Amino acid sequence: MPNILLLFLVPFISALIVLLYPSKNKKLLKVFSTSLSVIPLFVLLYIHAEWIATGNEQFVKYEWFKLINIEFYLAIDPLSLLFVYLACIIVPMSLLSARRELIHNTNTFYALVLLLQGLLIGFFTSRDLAFFTFFWEAMLIPLYFIINEWGGPHRHRAALTFLLYMILGSALMVIAVLALYFASANNGSMGTFNLDELQGVAGAMPYAAWMCAAFLLAFAVKTPLFPFHAWLPDAYFQATTPGTILLSGILSKAGIYGVLRITLALFPAIMAEFSPWLLSLAIAGVLYGAFAAWKQNDFKKVLAYSSFSHVNFVLVGLFLMNETAQAGGILQALNHGITITALFLVASWLEQRIGFTNLGRLSGLSLYFPMLCWLTLFFVLSNVALPGLNNFVGEFLIFYGLFAYSPWLTALLGISIILSVVYMLHWMHSIYFNDPSPPHGIWSDIKAKQLLIALPLVILILWVGIYPTPILDHIKPAVNKLVAYNQVEQP
Amino acid sequence: MNSSLNQVELLALSPFLVLLTGALIVLLVETFWEKASRQISFYLTLLTIACAGVAVILSPESHHQLLTPWLRFDTIARSFNTLFLGIGFGSVLLSDPFFKRFGATKGEFYFLLLSSLFGLLLIGSSADFLTLFLGLETLSISLYVLCGYMKTWNVSHESSIKYFLIGSIAAAFLLYGFALIYGAVGTTRLDALMAGYKGLQGSKQVLFMAGTALITLGLCFKAAIVPFHMWAPDVYDGAPTPVTGFMAVGTKAGAFAAFAIIFLVSLPQFNLEWNRLISYLAFPTLIYANYVAIKQEQLRRFFAYSGISHAGFLLIPIAVGTSQALPALLFYLIVYAFATLGAFGVISYLDTRPNGVLLKDLHGLFKKSPFLATVLAICLLTLAGIPPSIGFFAKLYLFKLAFQAGYYALIVVALLTTVLSAYYYLRIVVIMMTDKPTETVEKPELLHSPPALALVVICCISLLALSIYPQPILNLLSTMP
């Protein structure tokens, strides 16, 4: 079996196994499903090694619906590789973050997360627009249930809002996919969904600007770009920690990947035209998210808005039609996935200990949870882009690109860095420092197990922060490809 | 002239013979051994249909002069007949919970169901207007009785009378159309129509066109195309649920098989004016049915309108009329059949009252039975044509045909109505997920019914399998001439 097919199928098989796994032992089930969710990472490492050794991109291609020219076409190029890595890392982390006492119907929950992993891998690797759409829509199903069945008291409302936003956002995209297909049929041949073939021709099609806008709308809702974020606070807040991690860590990246894979690759000229508008929306989103995070009195909401602010920062990088900034944007997408996962993880450990997520009710907890406090501080510093940590590299590249475009905008966006320091440290300060609250009998600090869970994230953060070259080397070909399309488009 | 039938011919006819024998046995058992009939007629019917299915697949082709003028034994006939028998099998499974609830006599029911299946098979294999008409009438007459099967239900009386009257009018139209065509070309054989039409001139051509118009009218009645659909909601509403399920899928498939056999196989694109006319019929069908379906509260009625809107989609390949149209039509019919039968399978679990299952009965189904709710959701998503389901691709396939034939306006309308239909199908899914307490109305208890469960499982697995890998079925369909 080709390795990519294996990579794609493993999560589905795992999901089925977990669903049918007869044990009622929640602990065993968690360990079991987490180990299953790591398998794709090893498969991917193997594929990557093989790729480096042979120098050939890997792909699988099967006829699927020949009469309308749909192929089951999965391929891994540098861009896919990075996002698939992220999917392979974030999903096990989200499973590890699950608190056993909060998860009823354990088998179903783990199976849904594994199913989502499979769909994500399919989404990040598919090169056929029909399958791209297929996975894009299919992801909603497990996510809807993950939000709807497990989480806070208003989870039903949050899940429904989420679903409605997603469906409305992507309804036009489906039409754009069909329009692309039919427009490509005009030149006498059968229409095509093959992204490689569409790449050269899509931008010149009639109504290409409308198609591009329809795609952008779908991706903007999912990422979410300001002002399409109304579903976000509720969904992030009401979902359980694994759900929140999946939404913020990897689902927002699906939108970002869509921007890269579809709009920037298929319609570069149109994107260049849209660029000022999109940039202003994204910058507005960064600042809005930052201010909103500052004003929250609940640390889960602080993180939700911080995440919103940072994904918009990523979009700033992508919407600048500039090589460096786009490289920064891609890197920042990975960084954000890692950092926000880590932050929600430590926040959930804190919530587990104190039992609520409000700010201002307790303070000075560093006295009781020194380890958790230091770990949180580390991730907070990563989030505020301390030099030497991962976010610094990405944000620096984006600033670099933005400066060439407009120094004034750079100054404006620079405010967000200050704001992020303000709101993140506000959280740290009010809950961990300040005058210590009276102790509570059963409070206990995190143990070696939790440190071990956080360790991969710490390593990744330090690695990207200190020595980002290997990752940037992978981003460069991806960006070069985008730039190459730009040049084909505008001779 | 060789006038005796030998073994090959008998084998070629075996699907018909098996069904006929099975139906008669069921009737005999019911007449002379009523107690046993209650026990075995269900299994006897299933066995009959299964044997007929095997016979359809394995039977050889016959080239006997006595048979070929009347019946065809090619892959087209075989594909349609397999589909019909599958639908029949599903409908029989569907009837089990119904009988458990309402305890009517079984023997006649299954006899009538088998007779209507026999009619469907005749339609699928007809090579002559007369056999086609015979098939349509055998189907219809059994269904007139089936609609009024629950003699004590008031809703059923209206239903069956209405169906009978409208059905008879449609039959009259059809027969008149056949007569006019016979008058024009001098034959009722389908394979001679195209040649006959090509040689026509002047008033005879008018006669022929008038004949096709009447036939189209008659078939539109049978297929419930707007504006000839008035009977469908009331009839579906009043008939017992398994009969509604059978009608929603079987009758529709039968009517479209007749359409396909006359206008796609025998007279492909004989006159492009006719094709354009059919596409004009698709507009009101799509718009009206989807608009009215939004407001339905009773599920049998809801599926009547849903069925009408899908009939609108099925008109697209008929209007296109190219050689690719037939596989597309069949593929859409297969997907529609699985999804609708699966949905009826789930509904049959909740069916406790003569006036059927209401939308609000579905509240909290997801809590009560996650499995049933999931299956119903899959079926509805397929019917709505939302991307991860195969319904999307089936629709896309039709759109592609319409695009190639240049029916751009039709595509736009079909797309918009698809979005509209997504609303009302998803509304049902949302209702299943929420559990608003339905005041004092007693919630229907779920029934334990292995056959209905089997139906639900089969439909669910088939839809998933089709979504994952539809190519084998498509290969099968594209081998058709």
Side-chain angles (χ1 to χ4, degrees), chain A residues 64-68 178, chain B residues 396-397 400 467-468 471 474:
Chain A
W64 190 76
F65 201 137
K66 200 178 166 200
L67 295 161
I68 36 180
L178 297 182
Chain B
L396 180 55
Y397 192 10
K400 183 202 152 204
S467 304
I468 291 167
Q471 196 57 42
L474 288 166

Side-chain angles (χ1 to χ4, degrees), chain B residues 1-17 59-74 122 125-128 131 189-191:
Chain B
M1 186 173 154
N2 179 8
S3 60
S4 67
L5 294 176
N6 43 33
Q7 204 184 351
V8 180
E9 277 65 51
L10 283 178
L11 282 176
L13 284 177
S14 59
F16 296 95
L17 299 177
S59 63
E61 237 177 85
S62 162
H63 299 286
H64 199 280
Q65 291 140 314
L66 272 183
L67 298 181
T68 44
W70 306 104
L71 296 172
R72 283 191 344 266
F73 303 96
D74 53 3
L122 264 182
S125 347
S126 58
D128 190 293
T131 30
R189 284 184 61 162
L190 289 168
D191 52 358

Side-chain angles (χ1 to χ4, degrees), chain A residues 340-361:
Chain A
I340 202 72
T341 304
L343 281 171
F344 275 116
L345 195 63
V346 287
S348 90
W349 288 337
L350 180 63
E351 184 191 351
Q352 188 179 3
R353 276 160 184 76
I354 61 177
F356 52 85
T357 54
N358 300 24
L359 288 177
R361 280 167 65 180

Side-chain angles (χ1 to χ4, degrees), chain A residues 164-451:
Chain A
L164 284 179
Y165 261 84
M166 293 301 143
I167 288 179
L168 289 178
S170 53
L172 282 176
M173 175 178 126
V174 175
I175 294 177
V177 169
L178 297 182
L180 260 180
Y181 171 74
F182 288 128
S184 66
N186 255 350
N187 7 342
S189 60
M190 194 133 78
T192 181
F193 286 109
N194 189 318
L195 282 174
D196 301 346
E197 286 169 28
L198 285 173
Q199 224 130 32
V201 293
M205 283 175 181
Y207 307 110
W210 288 102
M211 293 186 212
C212 178
F215 277 110
L216 266 179
L217 177 68
F219 303 142
V221 172
K222 192 165 262 181
T223 306
L225 174 68
F226 180 82
F228 303 101
H229 63 278
W231 60 271
L232 175 137
D234 229 17
Y236 278 33
F237 186 67
Q238 294 297 337
T240 48
T241 308
T244 317
I245 288 180
L246 288 171
L247 279 171
S248 60
I250 192 79
L251 256 295
S252 59
K253 306 306 169 295
I256 289 169
Y257 177 81
V259 170
L260 283 161
R261 176 65 77 198
I262 305 289
T263 53
L264 282 173
L266 295 190
F267 310 101
I270 295 163
M271 285 299 282
E273 245 171 77
F274 288 171
S275 167
W277 301 99
L278 294 172
L279 258 184
S280 41
L281 285 182
I283 292 176
V286 173
L287 295 174
Y288 175 88
F291 277 115
W294 191 6
K295 288 292 157 209
Q296 301 305 314
N297 58 356
D298 183 300
F299 60 80
K300 211 169 169 187
K301 283 186 178 158
V302 172
L303 291 181
Y305 277 106
S306 153
S307 169
F308 171 59
S309 171
H310 279 87
V311 289
N312 277 276
F313 207 116
V314 173
L315 289 176
V316 171
L318 300 186
F319 291 149
L320 278 169
M321 303 303 282
N322 170 307
E323 217 174 313
T324 321
Q326 284 180 344
I330 297 173
L331 180 64
Q332 197 51 21
L334 305 181
N335 288 338
H336 173 259
I338 296 164
T339 305
I340 202 72
T341 304
L343 281 171
F344 275 116
L345 195 63
V346 287
S348 90
W349 288 337
L350 180 63
E351 184 191 351
Q352 188 179 3
R353 276 160 184 76
I354 61 177
F356 52 85
T357 54
N358 300 24
L359 288 177
R361 280 167 65 180
L362 289 173
S363 57
L365 294 180
S366 62
L367 194 65
Y368 312 108
F369 313 131
M371 295 297 281
L372 184 58
C373 171
W374 290 121
L375 199 62
T376 311
L377 188 62
F378 178 77
F379 292 140
V380 163
L381 290 177
S382 147
N383 199 33
V384 302
L386 189 77
L389 298 181
N390 59 350
N391 277 278
F392 176 73
V393 186
E395 294 193 355
F396 180 77
L397 287 173
I398 295 175
F399 274 123
Y400 184 84
L402 186 60
F403 195 81
Y405 180 83
S406 155
W408 291 107
L409 279 181
T410 319
L412 188 64
L413 194 61
I415 300 174
S416 80
I417 298 283
I418 302 165
L419 283 173
S420 79
V421 176
V422 170
Y423 65 74
M424 289 314 280
L425 290 184
H426 171 67
W427 168 41
M428 282 305 289
H429 181 75
S430 71
I431 210 142
Y432 281 111
F433 304 121
N434 247 345
D435 302 326
S437 304
H440 193 288
I442 51 166
W443 281 352
S444 63
D445 200 3
I446 51 171
K447 307 261 163 29
K449 192 180 101 189
Q450 276 89 349
L451 285 178

